[in-house]
Short mmCIF file of all heavy atoms in Angstrom, two decimals:
data_model
loop_
_atom_site.label_atom_id
_atom_site.label_comp_id
_atom_site.label_asym_id
_atom_site.label_seq_id
_atom_site.Cartn_x
_atom_site.Cartn_y
_atom_site.Cartn_z
N MET E 10 75.15 60.34 17.09
CA MET E 10 74.29 61.47 16.95
C MET E 10 75.07 62.78 16.95
O MET E 10 74.83 63.64 16.13
CB MET E 10 73.25 61.45 18.09
CG MET E 10 72.26 62.58 17.98
SD MET E 10 71.96 63.29 19.60
CE MET E 10 72.15 64.99 19.27
N ILE E 11 76.00 62.92 17.87
CA ILE E 11 76.79 64.15 17.93
C ILE E 11 77.66 64.30 16.70
O ILE E 11 77.73 65.39 16.11
CB ILE E 11 77.64 64.19 19.23
CG1 ILE E 11 76.72 64.29 20.45
CG2 ILE E 11 78.60 65.37 19.20
CD1 ILE E 11 77.42 64.20 21.78
N LEU E 12 78.30 63.23 16.29
CA LEU E 12 79.15 63.29 15.09
C LEU E 12 78.32 63.61 13.85
O LEU E 12 78.77 64.41 13.01
CB LEU E 12 79.90 61.97 14.90
CG LEU E 12 80.90 61.94 13.76
CD1 LEU E 12 81.93 63.05 13.90
CD2 LEU E 12 81.59 60.59 13.69
N ASP E 13 77.14 63.04 13.74
CA ASP E 13 76.27 63.37 12.62
C ASP E 13 75.92 64.86 12.62
O ASP E 13 75.96 65.51 11.58
CB ASP E 13 74.98 62.55 12.67
CG ASP E 13 75.21 61.06 12.43
OD1 ASP E 13 76.23 60.70 11.79
OD2 ASP E 13 74.38 60.26 12.90
N ALA E 14 75.57 65.39 13.78
CA ALA E 14 75.23 66.80 13.89
C ALA E 14 76.43 67.68 13.54
O ALA E 14 76.29 68.69 12.83
CB ALA E 14 74.73 67.13 15.29
N ILE E 15 77.61 67.30 13.99
CA ILE E 15 78.82 68.08 13.68
C ILE E 15 79.09 68.07 12.19
O ILE E 15 79.44 69.11 11.62
CB ILE E 15 80.02 67.53 14.47
CG1 ILE E 15 79.86 67.84 15.95
CG2 ILE E 15 81.34 68.10 13.93
CD1 ILE E 15 80.86 67.17 16.85
N ASN E 16 78.91 66.94 11.54
CA ASN E 16 79.11 66.87 10.09
C ASN E 16 78.11 67.75 9.34
O ASN E 16 78.46 68.44 8.37
CB ASN E 16 79.02 65.43 9.60
CG ASN E 16 80.21 64.61 10.02
OD1 ASN E 16 81.31 65.13 10.18
ND2 ASN E 16 80.01 63.32 10.20
N ILE E 17 76.87 67.75 9.80
CA ILE E 17 75.85 68.61 9.18
C ILE E 17 76.21 70.07 9.39
O ILE E 17 76.15 70.89 8.45
CB ILE E 17 74.45 68.28 9.74
CG1 ILE E 17 74.02 66.89 9.29
CG2 ILE E 17 73.44 69.34 9.32
CD1 ILE E 17 72.78 66.35 10.01
N ILE E 18 76.62 70.42 10.61
CA ILE E 18 77.00 71.80 10.91
C ILE E 18 78.16 72.24 10.03
O ILE E 18 78.13 73.32 9.44
CB ILE E 18 77.36 71.96 12.40
CG1 ILE E 18 76.11 71.78 13.27
CG2 ILE E 18 78.02 73.29 12.67
CD1 ILE E 18 76.40 71.57 14.74
N ASP E 19 79.17 71.40 9.91
CA ASP E 19 80.34 71.71 9.10
C ASP E 19 79.93 72.00 7.65
O ASP E 19 80.35 73.01 7.06
CB ASP E 19 81.34 70.56 9.16
CG ASP E 19 82.60 70.85 8.39
OD1 ASP E 19 83.25 71.87 8.68
OD2 ASP E 19 82.94 70.06 7.48
N LYS E 20 79.11 71.16 7.08
CA LYS E 20 78.66 71.34 5.71
C LYS E 20 77.85 72.63 5.56
O LYS E 20 78.06 73.40 4.61
CB LYS E 20 77.84 70.14 5.25
CG LYS E 20 77.34 70.27 3.84
CD LYS E 20 76.52 69.05 3.42
CE LYS E 20 75.99 69.23 2.02
NZ LYS E 20 75.17 68.10 1.60
N GLN E 21 76.94 72.87 6.50
CA GLN E 21 76.07 74.05 6.42
C GLN E 21 76.86 75.34 6.61
O GLN E 21 76.54 76.36 5.99
CB GLN E 21 74.93 73.94 7.43
CG GLN E 21 74.00 72.76 7.20
CD GLN E 21 73.37 72.75 5.82
OE1 GLN E 21 72.79 73.74 5.41
NE2 GLN E 21 73.47 71.64 5.14
N VAL E 22 77.87 75.33 7.45
CA VAL E 22 78.72 76.52 7.64
C VAL E 22 79.43 76.84 6.33
O VAL E 22 79.51 78.01 5.91
CB VAL E 22 79.72 76.31 8.80
CG1 VAL E 22 80.82 77.38 8.78
CG2 VAL E 22 79.00 76.32 10.13
N LYS E 23 79.96 75.84 5.67
CA LYS E 23 80.64 76.06 4.39
C LYS E 23 79.67 76.63 3.36
O LYS E 23 80.02 77.60 2.64
CB LYS E 23 81.26 74.76 3.89
CG LYS E 23 82.46 74.33 4.71
CD LYS E 23 82.98 72.98 4.30
CE LYS E 23 84.13 72.57 5.22
NZ LYS E 23 84.54 71.19 5.01
N LEU E 24 78.49 76.09 3.29
CA LEU E 24 77.49 76.57 2.33
C LEU E 24 77.03 77.98 2.70
O LEU E 24 76.85 78.84 1.81
CB LEU E 24 76.29 75.62 2.27
CG LEU E 24 76.60 74.24 1.68
CD1 LEU E 24 75.41 73.31 1.86
CD2 LEU E 24 76.97 74.36 0.20
N ALA E 25 76.85 78.25 3.98
CA ALA E 25 76.46 79.59 4.43
C ALA E 25 77.54 80.61 4.09
O ALA E 25 77.22 81.74 3.68
CB ALA E 25 76.18 79.59 5.93
N ASN E 26 78.80 80.24 4.24
CA ASN E 26 79.90 81.14 3.91
C ASN E 26 79.91 81.49 2.42
O ASN E 26 80.12 82.65 2.05
CB ASN E 26 81.24 80.56 4.33
CG ASN E 26 81.47 80.65 5.81
OD1 ASN E 26 80.91 81.50 6.49
ND2 ASN E 26 82.29 79.75 6.35
N ILE E 27 79.67 80.51 1.59
CA ILE E 27 79.61 80.75 0.15
C ILE E 27 78.45 81.70 -0.17
O ILE E 27 78.60 82.67 -0.92
CB ILE E 27 79.46 79.43 -0.62
CG1 ILE E 27 80.75 78.59 -0.49
CG2 ILE E 27 79.13 79.68 -2.09
CD1 ILE E 27 80.62 77.16 -0.96
N ALA E 28 77.29 81.42 0.40
CA ALA E 28 76.11 82.24 0.16
C ALA E 28 76.29 83.66 0.66
O ALA E 28 75.89 84.63 -0.02
CB ALA E 28 74.88 81.60 0.79
N GLN E 29 76.91 83.84 1.82
CA GLN E 29 77.10 85.19 2.34
C GLN E 29 78.12 85.97 1.52
O GLN E 29 77.98 87.18 1.35
CB GLN E 29 77.41 85.19 3.84
CG GLN E 29 78.76 84.66 4.25
CD GLN E 29 79.89 85.68 4.26
OE1 GLN E 29 79.65 86.89 4.24
NE2 GLN E 29 81.10 85.21 4.25
N LYS E 30 79.13 85.30 1.00
CA LYS E 30 80.10 86.00 0.13
C LYS E 30 79.40 86.50 -1.12
O LYS E 30 79.67 87.62 -1.58
CB LYS E 30 81.26 85.08 -0.21
CG LYS E 30 82.22 84.87 0.95
CD LYS E 30 83.33 83.92 0.61
CE LYS E 30 84.18 83.64 1.85
NZ LYS E 30 85.19 82.64 1.60
N LYS E 31 78.54 85.68 -1.70
CA LYS E 31 77.77 86.12 -2.87
C LYS E 31 76.87 87.28 -2.51
O LYS E 31 76.78 88.27 -3.27
CB LYS E 31 76.94 84.96 -3.42
CG LYS E 31 77.75 83.89 -4.10
CD LYS E 31 76.83 82.78 -4.62
CE LYS E 31 77.64 81.64 -5.20
NZ LYS E 31 76.78 80.53 -5.64
N ALA E 32 76.20 87.20 -1.38
CA ALA E 32 75.29 88.27 -0.96
C ALA E 32 76.04 89.58 -0.73
O ALA E 32 75.53 90.65 -1.07
CB ALA E 32 74.53 87.86 0.30
N ARG E 33 77.23 89.51 -0.18
CA ARG E 33 78.01 90.73 0.09
C ARG E 33 78.43 91.44 -1.18
O ARG E 33 78.72 92.64 -1.17
CB ARG E 33 79.25 90.41 0.93
CG ARG E 33 78.93 90.10 2.37
CD ARG E 33 80.24 89.86 3.14
NE ARG E 33 79.97 89.41 4.46
CZ ARG E 33 79.71 90.20 5.49
NH1 ARG E 33 79.69 91.50 5.33
NH2 ARG E 33 79.49 89.70 6.68
N ASN E 34 78.50 90.71 -2.28
CA ASN E 34 78.92 91.31 -3.55
C ASN E 34 77.78 91.99 -4.31
O ASN E 34 78.02 92.57 -5.36
CB ASN E 34 79.58 90.26 -4.44
CG ASN E 34 80.94 89.85 -3.92
OD1 ASN E 34 81.66 90.67 -3.36
ND2 ASN E 34 81.30 88.61 -4.08
N ILE E 35 76.60 91.94 -3.76
CA ILE E 35 75.46 92.59 -4.39
C ILE E 35 75.56 94.09 -4.06
O ILE E 35 75.72 94.46 -2.92
CB ILE E 35 74.13 92.00 -3.90
CG1 ILE E 35 74.05 90.52 -4.30
CG2 ILE E 35 72.95 92.80 -4.43
CD1 ILE E 35 72.87 89.79 -3.71
N GLY E 36 75.43 94.91 -5.07
CA GLY E 36 75.63 96.34 -4.87
C GLY E 36 74.47 97.08 -4.23
O GLY E 36 74.67 98.10 -3.58
N VAL E 37 73.28 96.59 -4.39
CA VAL E 37 72.10 97.29 -3.88
C VAL E 37 71.75 96.73 -2.50
O VAL E 37 71.55 95.52 -2.35
CB VAL E 37 70.92 97.14 -4.85
CG1 VAL E 37 69.69 97.84 -4.34
CG2 VAL E 37 71.30 97.64 -6.24
N THR E 38 71.68 97.60 -1.51
CA THR E 38 71.47 97.17 -0.13
C THR E 38 70.21 96.32 0.02
O THR E 38 70.25 95.27 0.68
CB THR E 38 71.39 98.38 0.81
OG1 THR E 38 72.61 99.11 0.69
CG2 THR E 38 71.20 97.95 2.25
N GLU E 39 69.10 96.74 -0.55
CA GLU E 39 67.86 95.99 -0.42
C GLU E 39 67.98 94.58 -1.00
O GLU E 39 67.48 93.61 -0.44
CB GLU E 39 66.70 96.73 -1.09
CG GLU E 39 66.31 98.01 -0.39
CD GLU E 39 67.17 99.22 -0.79
OE1 GLU E 39 68.05 99.10 -1.69
OE2 GLU E 39 66.97 100.28 -0.18
N ASP E 40 68.69 94.47 -2.12
CA ASP E 40 68.91 93.16 -2.74
C ASP E 40 69.84 92.30 -1.90
O ASP E 40 69.68 91.07 -1.81
CB ASP E 40 69.46 93.32 -4.16
CG ASP E 40 68.47 93.98 -5.10
OD1 ASP E 40 67.24 93.97 -4.80
OD2 ASP E 40 68.91 94.51 -6.13
N MET E 41 70.81 92.95 -1.26
CA MET E 41 71.73 92.23 -0.39
C MET E 41 70.97 91.65 0.81
O MET E 41 71.17 90.49 1.18
CB MET E 41 72.86 93.14 0.10
CG MET E 41 73.91 92.43 0.91
SD MET E 41 75.18 93.52 1.64
CE MET E 41 75.73 94.47 0.25
N VAL E 42 70.11 92.46 1.40
CA VAL E 42 69.31 92.02 2.54
C VAL E 42 68.44 90.84 2.13
O VAL E 42 68.35 89.84 2.85
CB VAL E 42 68.46 93.17 3.10
CG1 VAL E 42 67.46 92.67 4.12
CG2 VAL E 42 69.35 94.25 3.71
N GLU E 43 67.82 90.95 0.97
CA GLU E 43 66.98 89.87 0.48
C GLU E 43 67.78 88.58 0.27
O GLU E 43 67.34 87.49 0.61
CB GLU E 43 66.29 90.30 -0.82
CG GLU E 43 65.26 89.31 -1.30
CD GLU E 43 64.50 89.82 -2.51
OE1 GLU E 43 64.29 91.04 -2.63
OE2 GLU E 43 64.11 88.97 -3.32
N ALA E 44 69.00 88.73 -0.26
CA ALA E 44 69.86 87.55 -0.48
C ALA E 44 70.25 86.91 0.85
O ALA E 44 70.26 85.68 0.95
CB ALA E 44 71.09 87.96 -1.28
N PHE E 45 70.58 87.73 1.84
CA PHE E 45 70.90 87.15 3.15
C PHE E 45 69.71 86.40 3.72
O PHE E 45 69.86 85.30 4.26
CB PHE E 45 71.38 88.24 4.13
CG PHE E 45 72.87 88.44 4.12
CD1 PHE E 45 73.45 89.36 3.26
CD2 PHE E 45 73.68 87.70 4.96
CE1 PHE E 45 74.83 89.53 3.24
CE2 PHE E 45 75.04 87.86 4.95
CZ PHE E 45 75.63 88.79 4.09
N TYR E 46 68.54 87.01 3.60
CA TYR E 46 67.33 86.38 4.14
C TYR E 46 67.00 85.08 3.39
O TYR E 46 66.72 84.05 4.01
CB TYR E 46 66.16 87.35 4.07
CG TYR E 46 64.91 86.77 4.68
CD1 TYR E 46 64.72 86.77 6.05
CD2 TYR E 46 63.92 86.22 3.87
CE1 TYR E 46 63.57 86.23 6.62
CE2 TYR E 46 62.77 85.67 4.43
CZ TYR E 46 62.61 85.70 5.80
OH TYR E 46 61.48 85.15 6.36
N ASN E 47 67.05 85.13 2.08
CA ASN E 47 66.63 83.97 1.28
C ASN E 47 67.72 82.92 1.11
O ASN E 47 67.41 81.72 1.01
CB ASN E 47 66.16 84.43 -0.11
CG ASN E 47 64.88 85.21 -0.05
OD1 ASN E 47 64.01 84.93 0.78
ND2 ASN E 47 64.76 86.19 -0.90
N ASP E 48 68.98 83.35 1.05
CA ASP E 48 70.06 82.42 0.68
C ASP E 48 70.97 82.02 1.84
O ASP E 48 71.57 80.95 1.79
CB ASP E 48 70.90 83.03 -0.43
CG ASP E 48 70.08 83.36 -1.67
OD1 ASP E 48 69.03 82.72 -1.88
OD2 ASP E 48 70.47 84.29 -2.41
N VAL E 49 71.10 82.87 2.85
CA VAL E 49 71.99 82.57 3.98
C VAL E 49 71.21 82.03 5.17
O VAL E 49 71.61 81.04 5.79
CB VAL E 49 72.83 83.81 4.38
CG1 VAL E 49 73.74 83.48 5.56
CG2 VAL E 49 73.64 84.32 3.20
N LYS E 50 70.10 82.67 5.50
CA LYS E 50 69.33 82.32 6.68
C LYS E 50 68.94 80.84 6.74
O LYS E 50 68.99 80.24 7.82
CB LYS E 50 68.11 83.21 6.80
CG LYS E 50 67.32 83.02 8.09
CD LYS E 50 66.17 84.02 8.15
CE LYS E 50 65.40 83.86 9.44
NZ LYS E 50 64.38 82.84 9.36
N PRO E 51 68.53 80.23 5.63
CA PRO E 51 68.18 78.79 5.73
C PRO E 51 69.33 77.92 6.26
O PRO E 51 69.09 76.98 7.03
CB PRO E 51 67.82 78.42 4.28
CG PRO E 51 67.36 79.69 3.68
CD PRO E 51 68.23 80.77 4.29
N TYR E 52 70.57 78.25 5.89
CA TYR E 52 71.71 77.49 6.42
C TYR E 52 71.87 77.74 7.91
O TYR E 52 72.16 76.82 8.67
CB TYR E 52 73.00 77.87 5.68
CG TYR E 52 72.98 77.54 4.22
CD1 TYR E 52 73.08 78.54 3.26
CD2 TYR E 52 72.86 76.23 3.78
CE1 TYR E 52 73.06 78.25 1.91
CE2 TYR E 52 72.84 75.92 2.42
CZ TYR E 52 72.94 76.94 1.49
OH TYR E 52 72.92 76.65 0.16
N ILE E 53 71.70 78.99 8.31
CA ILE E 53 71.82 79.35 9.72
C ILE E 53 70.77 78.62 10.55
O ILE E 53 71.05 78.16 11.67
CB ILE E 53 71.70 80.88 9.90
CG1 ILE E 53 72.77 81.62 9.09
CG2 ILE E 53 71.75 81.27 11.38
CD1 ILE E 53 74.19 81.22 9.39
N ASN E 54 69.57 78.51 10.02
CA ASN E 54 68.50 77.79 10.73
C ASN E 54 68.87 76.32 10.95
O ASN E 54 68.63 75.77 12.03
CB ASN E 54 67.19 77.90 9.97
CG ASN E 54 66.60 79.28 10.02
OD1 ASN E 54 66.93 80.07 10.89
ND2 ASN E 54 65.73 79.58 9.07
N ILE E 55 69.44 75.70 9.94
CA ILE E 55 69.86 74.29 10.08
C ILE E 55 70.99 74.18 11.10
O ILE E 55 70.99 73.28 11.95
CB ILE E 55 70.29 73.71 8.72
CG1 ILE E 55 69.08 73.66 7.77
CG2 ILE E 55 70.92 72.32 8.89
CD1 ILE E 55 69.42 73.35 6.33
N ILE E 56 71.95 75.09 11.04
CA ILE E 56 73.06 75.07 12.00
C ILE E 56 72.52 75.20 13.42
O ILE E 56 72.91 74.44 14.32
CB ILE E 56 74.06 76.21 11.67
CG1 ILE E 56 74.75 75.95 10.34
CG2 ILE E 56 75.06 76.39 12.82
CD1 ILE E 56 75.48 77.14 9.77
N ARG E 57 71.63 76.15 13.62
CA ARG E 57 71.05 76.34 14.95
C ARG E 57 70.34 75.08 15.44
O ARG E 57 70.48 74.67 16.60
CB ARG E 57 70.09 77.53 14.94
CG ARG E 57 69.22 77.53 16.17
CD ARG E 57 69.10 78.86 16.82
NE ARG E 57 68.37 78.69 18.06
CZ ARG E 57 67.15 79.14 18.28
NH1 ARG E 57 66.52 79.83 17.37
NH2 ARG E 57 66.55 78.93 19.41
N PHE E 58 69.56 74.46 14.58
CA PHE E 58 68.84 73.25 14.95
C PHE E 58 69.80 72.15 15.40
O PHE E 58 69.58 71.50 16.44
CB PHE E 58 67.99 72.77 13.76
CG PHE E 58 67.24 71.50 14.02
CD1 PHE E 58 66.07 71.51 14.77
CD2 PHE E 58 67.70 70.29 13.52
CE1 PHE E 58 65.39 70.33 15.01
CE2 PHE E 58 67.02 69.11 13.77
CZ PHE E 58 65.87 69.14 14.50
N GLU E 59 70.88 71.97 14.65
CA GLU E 59 71.86 70.92 14.99
C GLU E 59 72.61 71.25 16.27
O GLU E 59 72.86 70.37 17.10
CB GLU E 59 72.83 70.70 13.82
CG GLU E 59 72.17 70.18 12.56
CD GLU E 59 71.49 68.84 12.73
OE1 GLU E 59 71.98 67.98 13.51
OE2 GLU E 59 70.44 68.61 12.07
N VAL E 60 72.97 72.51 16.46
CA VAL E 60 73.66 72.90 17.70
C VAL E 60 72.74 72.70 18.90
O VAL E 60 73.16 72.23 19.95
CB VAL E 60 74.17 74.35 17.62
CG1 VAL E 60 74.66 74.85 18.97
CG2 VAL E 60 75.28 74.46 16.57
N ASP E 61 71.46 73.06 18.74
CA ASP E 61 70.49 72.84 19.81
C ASP E 61 70.42 71.38 20.20
O ASP E 61 70.33 71.04 21.40
CB ASP E 61 69.10 73.33 19.42
CG ASP E 61 68.99 74.84 19.39
OD1 ASP E 61 69.89 75.52 19.92
OD2 ASP E 61 67.98 75.35 18.85
N LYS E 62 70.46 70.48 19.21
CA LYS E 62 70.44 69.04 19.52
C LYS E 62 71.65 68.64 20.34
O LYS E 62 71.54 67.88 21.30
CB LYS E 62 70.39 68.21 18.23
CG LYS E 62 69.06 68.27 17.53
CD LYS E 62 68.86 67.28 16.41
CE LYS E 62 70.02 66.88 15.58
NZ LYS E 62 69.69 66.10 14.39
N ILE E 63 72.82 69.16 19.96
CA ILE E 63 74.05 68.83 20.70
C ILE E 63 73.98 69.40 22.11
O ILE E 63 74.36 68.72 23.08
CB ILE E 63 75.29 69.36 19.96
CG1 ILE E 63 75.47 68.64 18.62
CG2 ILE E 63 76.54 69.19 20.82
CD1 ILE E 63 76.54 69.21 17.73
N GLU E 64 73.49 70.63 22.25
CA GLU E 64 73.39 71.24 23.58
C GLU E 64 72.54 70.40 24.53
O GLU E 64 72.78 70.37 25.73
CB GLU E 64 72.78 72.64 23.49
CG GLU E 64 73.71 73.70 22.96
CD GLU E 64 73.06 75.06 22.93
OE1 GLU E 64 71.83 75.16 23.09
OE2 GLU E 64 73.79 76.04 22.76
N ASN E 65 71.55 69.74 23.99
CA ASN E 65 70.64 68.94 24.83
C ASN E 65 71.25 67.65 25.34
O ASN E 65 70.74 67.07 26.30
CB ASN E 65 69.35 68.64 24.08
CG ASN E 65 68.49 69.88 23.94
OD1 ASN E 65 68.44 70.71 24.84
ND2 ASN E 65 67.78 70.00 22.83
N VAL E 66 72.32 67.19 24.72
CA VAL E 66 72.92 65.93 25.16
C VAL E 66 74.26 66.10 25.88
O VAL E 66 74.72 65.18 26.52
CB VAL E 66 73.09 64.92 24.00
CG1 VAL E 66 71.74 64.54 23.43
CG2 VAL E 66 74.00 65.44 22.92
N ILE E 67 74.86 67.29 25.78
CA ILE E 67 76.14 67.55 26.44
C ILE E 67 75.84 68.09 27.85
O ILE E 67 75.05 69.02 28.03
CB ILE E 67 76.99 68.56 25.65
CG1 ILE E 67 77.29 68.05 24.25
CG2 ILE E 67 78.26 68.91 26.41
CD1 ILE E 67 78.17 66.84 24.20
N ASP E 68 76.49 67.54 28.82
CA ASP E 68 76.32 67.98 30.20
C ASP E 68 76.75 69.44 30.36
O ASP E 68 77.73 69.88 29.77
CB ASP E 68 77.16 67.09 31.13
CG ASP E 68 76.88 67.36 32.58
OD1 ASP E 68 75.86 66.84 33.10
OD2 ASP E 68 77.66 68.10 33.21
N ASP E 69 76.02 70.18 31.16
CA ASP E 69 76.29 71.60 31.38
C ASP E 69 77.72 71.85 31.90
O ASP E 69 78.31 72.88 31.59
CB ASP E 69 75.30 72.20 32.37
CG ASP E 69 73.91 72.37 31.77
OD1 ASP E 69 73.79 72.29 30.53
OD2 ASP E 69 72.97 72.57 32.54
N GLU E 70 78.26 70.93 32.66
CA GLU E 70 79.61 71.11 33.19
C GLU E 70 80.68 70.99 32.11
O GLU E 70 81.76 71.55 32.25
CB GLU E 70 79.87 70.09 34.30
CG GLU E 70 79.02 70.37 35.54
CD GLU E 70 79.33 69.41 36.68
OE1 GLU E 70 80.42 68.79 36.68
OE2 GLU E 70 78.50 69.31 37.58
N ILE E 71 80.36 70.31 31.03
CA ILE E 71 81.32 70.14 29.94
C ILE E 71 81.18 71.25 28.91
O ILE E 71 82.14 71.70 28.32
CB ILE E 71 81.12 68.76 29.26
CG1 ILE E 71 81.38 67.64 30.25
CG2 ILE E 71 82.02 68.61 28.05
CD1 ILE E 71 81.02 66.27 29.74
N TRP E 72 79.92 71.71 28.69
CA TRP E 72 79.65 72.74 27.69
C TRP E 72 80.11 74.08 28.24
O TRP E 72 79.49 74.65 29.12
CB TRP E 72 78.15 72.75 27.38
CG TRP E 72 77.78 73.54 26.17
CD1 TRP E 72 77.46 74.86 26.15
CD2 TRP E 72 77.72 73.09 24.82
NE1 TRP E 72 77.18 75.26 24.86
CE2 TRP E 72 77.33 74.18 24.04
CE3 TRP E 72 77.95 71.86 24.20
CZ2 TRP E 72 77.17 74.07 22.65
CZ3 TRP E 72 77.77 71.76 22.84
CH2 TRP E 72 77.39 72.86 22.08
N ALA E 73 81.19 74.60 27.70
CA ALA E 73 81.81 75.81 28.25
C ALA E 73 81.07 77.11 27.88
O ALA E 73 81.19 78.11 28.57
CB ALA E 73 83.25 75.92 27.77
N LEU E 74 80.30 77.07 26.83
CA LEU E 74 79.59 78.28 26.37
C LEU E 74 78.19 78.33 26.94
O LEU E 74 77.62 77.31 27.29
CB LEU E 74 79.51 78.27 24.85
CG LEU E 74 80.84 78.20 24.09
CD1 LEU E 74 80.60 77.94 22.62
CD2 LEU E 74 81.61 79.48 24.30
N PRO E 75 77.62 79.54 27.01
CA PRO E 75 76.20 79.58 27.44
C PRO E 75 75.34 78.90 26.39
O PRO E 75 75.57 79.03 25.20
CB PRO E 75 75.87 81.09 27.46
CG PRO E 75 77.15 81.82 27.25
CD PRO E 75 78.17 80.86 26.77
N LYS E 76 74.38 78.14 26.84
CA LYS E 76 73.46 77.50 25.92
C LYS E 76 72.42 78.50 25.48
O LYS E 76 72.12 79.47 26.18
CB LYS E 76 72.81 76.28 26.58
CG LYS E 76 73.84 75.20 26.88
CD LYS E 76 73.20 73.95 27.41
CE LYS E 76 74.28 72.88 27.60
NZ LYS E 76 73.72 71.60 27.99
N TYR E 77 71.90 78.30 24.28
CA TYR E 77 70.98 79.27 23.72
C TYR E 77 69.81 79.54 24.65
O TYR E 77 69.39 80.67 24.82
CB TYR E 77 70.48 78.78 22.36
CG TYR E 77 69.70 79.83 21.62
CD1 TYR E 77 70.37 80.84 20.92
CD2 TYR E 77 68.32 79.83 21.63
CE1 TYR E 77 69.67 81.81 20.25
CE2 TYR E 77 67.62 80.80 20.95
CZ TYR E 77 68.28 81.79 20.26
OH TYR E 77 67.59 82.75 19.61
N ARG E 78 69.29 78.51 25.29
CA ARG E 78 68.15 78.68 26.17
C ARG E 78 68.48 79.50 27.41
O ARG E 78 67.63 80.01 28.09
CB ARG E 78 67.58 77.32 26.58
CG ARG E 78 68.50 76.49 27.44
CD ARG E 78 67.88 75.15 27.80
NE ARG E 78 68.72 74.38 28.66
CZ ARG E 78 69.69 73.58 28.26
NH1 ARG E 78 69.94 73.44 26.99
NH2 ARG E 78 70.42 72.92 29.14
N GLU E 79 69.80 79.65 27.70
CA GLU E 79 70.24 80.41 28.86
C GLU E 79 70.43 81.90 28.53
O GLU E 79 70.60 82.72 29.43
CB GLU E 79 71.55 79.85 29.39
CG GLU E 79 71.46 78.45 29.90
CD GLU E 79 72.79 77.80 30.21
OE1 GLU E 79 73.85 78.35 29.79
OE2 GLU E 79 72.79 76.76 30.87
N LEU E 80 70.45 82.23 27.26
CA LEU E 80 70.71 83.62 26.86
C LEU E 80 69.53 84.48 27.04
O LEU E 80 68.54 84.58 27.14
CB LEU E 80 71.17 83.69 25.39
CG LEU E 80 72.51 83.02 25.13
CD1 LEU E 80 72.84 83.05 23.66
CD2 LEU E 80 73.62 83.69 25.89
#
């Protein structure tokens, strides 16, 4: 389960990076914002979902970062 989530996260990060680079090259601010919302955010949502799954199975003593629910 953890390895599957990590693989999904890895793929989604790569896709999000590609999408954000395209969005940054848009000259009009409003269009750039729309591109981030429509083209980047869906990848971020998937990444967050997968990280949340991992956070739920890793013991708090091992997880060195604050968990999202703790923020």
Side-chain angles (χ1 to χ4, degrees):
M10 183 222 131
I11 294 174
L12 185 56
D13 292 336
I15 290 170
N16 288 331
I17 292 168
I18 292 166
D19 182 57
K20 180 180 178 183
Q21 297 303 308
V22 166
K23 289 174 183 171
L24 293 171
N26 284 335
I27 292 168
Q29 69 88 17
K30 285 177 186 175
K31 289 181 185 177
R33 286 183 187 275
N34 288 326
I35 298 172
V37 179
T38 301
E39 292 84 4
D40 294 340
M41 185 186 309
V42 170
E43 187 174 328
F45 268 90
Y46 183 80
N47 291 325
D48 302 334
V49 179
K50 186 176 181 275
Y52 298 117
I53 302 303
N54 290 339
I55 295 169
I56 293 165
R57 165 134 186 249
F58 178 79
E59 296 300 326
V60 170
D61 287 348
K62 288 191 327 190
I63 294 172
E64 285 182 347
N65 288 326
V66 297
I67 300 293
D68 188 80
D69 288 345
E70 292 183 19
I71 298 172
W72 193 269
L74 302 170
K76 294 186 176 185
Y77 189 80
R78 67 180 182 275
E79 297 170 346
L80 295 176

